[in-house]
Amino acid sequence: MEASPTLHDPLSGVVVVLLADFLRQHQGWGWLRLVAGATPYKEVPGLNMVKVMGSGHGGGFTLRPSATHQGLICNFSHLDLALRFLDSPAVQAYRSRAREWWTGVLSVQSARGHWDKQAWQATSPEALGQHTDNEEGLRAPFAVLTRASIVPTKAMAFWRYAPAAQADLSQAPGCLLAMGLGEAPLVRQCTFSLWKDTGSMLQYAQQGAHQVASAAAYKHQFFSESLFVRMQVLQMAGVWMGRSYDPQVLKLSATSPADLKASALEPSHV
């Protein structure tokens, strides 16, 4: 019998997400970011993890790659270090070369599964530096990150379902932003989405093309590894798909009992 894969210690911290749609004249610079991967970020203080990711055409989840859309997903040990990174030359280099960009700082509320054999944990109060209840935080938008390693022999079967689910996502009521990302073509995929409220997200996840895709993934075991993460938005700014996200900093808040209950109902893939 094959031995179970060795799992790494769980990952805990504050998440930074950067989305960029490069100007045409900077496509080459963006391509070099994909080639370099995590290497340029080795000395960034407090950085626990970084993923430099490509995207499908138009920032979607399609077989056709985008020449201009990219995403950066990072995990930092502390909120202060995450905010410092957003003001760094590395992030400014993305913004100055992008036609549109969006950045968010997020705390993990709940997570299920693994990414590169590593589970994610809820962001600790120590990582945030404070932890208070307030109504503003509880009304704040939240984000969902899903990723999966697709079994290579089942990739074509998976891709028969994925485009329809992604199309529904971009049009789903209550979805404020959505982008398809990928570490590797066809077989290592990720989706990042921003939601107005839990009800909107659950309505999308449990109906239509996404529900069909989720049922097929479970039945046919499309994934060798998957991860679902729900995150609270602490700060966001930028313009994406023509929509402006005014810079805002939201007070940190504890997760409410209602949100904890909703998290238990959330799907394994969005």
Side-chain angles (χ1 to χ4, degrees), residues 214-235:
S214 294
Y218 178 81
K219 178 179 179 181
H220 301 293
Q221 299 183 340
F222 287 157
F223 308 136
S224 59
E225 181 184 63
S226 63
L227 177 72
F228 174 94
V229 185
R230 175 182 169 132
M231 299 174 286
Q232 179 182 324
V233 177
L234 305 178
Q235 175 177 311

Side-chain angles (χ1 to χ4, degrees), residues 76-156:
F76 285 87
S77 59
H78 197 276
L79 175 60
D80 288 345
L81 297 173
L83 295 175
R84 185 185 305 175
F85 177 69
L86 278 187
D87 290 332
S88 70
V91 173
Q92 182 56 35
Y94 275 90
R95 291 172 174 168
S96 65
R97 291 171 171 83
R99 183 181 67 85
E100 292 186 331
W101 59 267
W102 182 93
T103 57
V105 181
L106 312 105
S107 63
V108 176
Q109 294 180 310
S110 62
R112 181 170 61 250
H114 297 84
W115 192 341
D116 290 343
K117 303 178 183 179
Q118 188 169 45
W120 286 31
Q121 292 180 334
T123 303
S124 68
E126 292 76 18
L128 296 175
Q130 58 179 314
H131 197 55
T132 58
D133 280 309
N134 66 85
E135 290 302 317
E136 180 185 6
L138 295 177
R139 292 196 303 268
F142 72 93
V144 170
L145 174 70
T146 66
R147 58 82 50 192
S149 294
I150 304 162
V151 177
T153 57
K154 299 180 180 181
M156 290 300 101

Side-chain angles (χ1 to χ4, degrees), residues 28-111:
W29 186 89
W31 170 249
L32 291 176
R33 298 312 97 194
L34 291 174
V35 173
T39 301
Y41 306 99
K42 286 185 176 180
E43 304 302 322
V44 174
L47 184 64
N48 297 322
M49 183 210 79
V50 58
K51 296 290 185 180
V52 183
M53 310 184 81
S55 183
H57 178 70
F61 199 64
T62 70
L63 289 171
R64 180 183 173 187
S66 172
T68 62
H69 291 82
Q70 280 188 28
L72 194 67
I73 298 175
C74 308
N75 183 291
F76 285 87
S77 59
H78 197 276
L79 175 60
D80 288 345
L81 297 173
L83 295 175
R84 185 185 305 175
F85 177 69
L86 278 187
D87 290 332
S88 70
V91 173
Q92 182 56 35
Y94 275 90
R95 291 172 174 168
S96 65
R97 291 171 171 83
R99 183 181 67 85
E100 292 186 331
W101 59 267
W102 182 93
T103 57
V105 181
L106 312 105
S107 63
V108 176
Q109 294 180 310
S110 62

